[in-house]
Amino acid sequence: MSSESGEDAREVRDGRDPEAVARFVERFASEMTEAGMQRMASRVFAALLADDDASMTSAELALALQISPAAVSGAINYLTQVSMVGREREPGSRRDRYRLHNEIWYTTFASRDRVLTRWEQTLRDGARTLGEHTPAGARIAETAAFFEFMQSELGAMMDRWEAHRKTLDLPTADGPAKA
């Protein structure tokens, strides 16, 4: 006799194989880890991404990922610091829910814009400090110019994405895309 958890039973009712979902979460988390994100943060992010509500409590994350509450806490701290996840209080409860921001990728890249601005300014100051015509100063000035270029391209790309997104026939949580 099977002892499915409530979450597993819901996924089976929804036509999802809980083991296949877990494999997807681990695979995507592995891809994110290879790209440089912390391992536990990658796993927590992927679990939230795969959740229909994009929202889970610490206990739900720990259970789904078979990790300790301390590991969840560390991952959530990182994800909130980089603006990928928000924390909200469950109404009438003392428990926090962790939720992906709406338009997560847009929000994440838009926040990078602010980081690039700070880096660019610091690098420009550094190039002046070192002397722009010294090898180190020239290298830092080029890095600042690269970040300036990236920032202008990122802003233009985000604008193009918004326009493009409106033309897409994307599925919704309610079923196929609306015509």
Side-chain angles (χ1 to χ4, degrees):
M1 181 166 182
S2 171
S3 60
E4 292 179 344
S5 72
E7 186 72 19
D8 287 349
R10 188 183 85 200
E11 288 175 348
V12 169
R13 277 195 311 275
D14 291 344
R16 295 184 192 143
D17 175 356
E19 289 179 21
V21 171
R23 282 191 305 273
F24 162 76
V25 165
E26 294 302 327
R27 181 175 170 212
F28 189 63
S30 177
E31 295 289 338
M32 293 178 68
T33 300
E34 283 186 36
M37 185 183 274
Q38 297 174 357
R39 183 172 181 270
M40 281 302 151
S42 296
R43 294 182 71 211
V44 167
F45 179 82
L48 288 168
L49 189 64
D51 184 72
D52 280 339
D53 296 330
S55 170
M56 299 171 85
T57 65
S58 180
E60 290 167 339
L61 285 162
L63 181 64
L65 298 171
Q66 297 297 294
I67 59 177
S68 71
V72 171
S73 178
I76 290 296
N77 285 339
Y78 171 81
L79 292 167
T80 55
Q81 183 179 18
V82 297
S83 301
M84 294 180 79
V85 170
R87 182 180 270 129
E88 58 189 40
R89 185 72 59 174
E90 284 190 334
S93 171
R94 292 175 46 185
R95 287 192 309 178
D96 286 332
R97 291 197 74 74
Y98 305 105
R99 177 177 302 282
L100 294 182
H101 294 295
N102 291 335
E103 299 180 356
I104 182 62
W105 297 113
Y106 184 92
T107 303
T108 299
F109 281 95
S111 72
R112 296 296 168 254
D113 186 49
R114 291 186 298 276
V115 170
L116 290 175
T117 298
R118 291 193 322 262
W119 287 2
E120 178 192 342
Q121 186 56 53
T122 301
L123 288 163
R124 289 201 186 287
D125 293 345
R128 281 190 297 277
T129 299
L130 293 165
E132 293 178 357
H133 299 290
T134 66
R139 184 174 47 253
I140 291 172
E142 181 182 350
T143 303
F146 174 77
F147 283 129
E148 179 182 27
F149 174 79
M150 285 289 296
Q151 189 174 9
S152 68
E153 290 297 308
L154 183 58
M157 184 182 68
M158 299 300 273
D159 292 342
R160 287 192 310 273
W161 164 248
E162 281 298 309
H164 177 70
R165 183 174 177 235
K166 292 175 183 173
T167 70
L168 297 176
D169 189 28
L170 295 172
T172 66
D174 300 328
K178 309 282 189 267

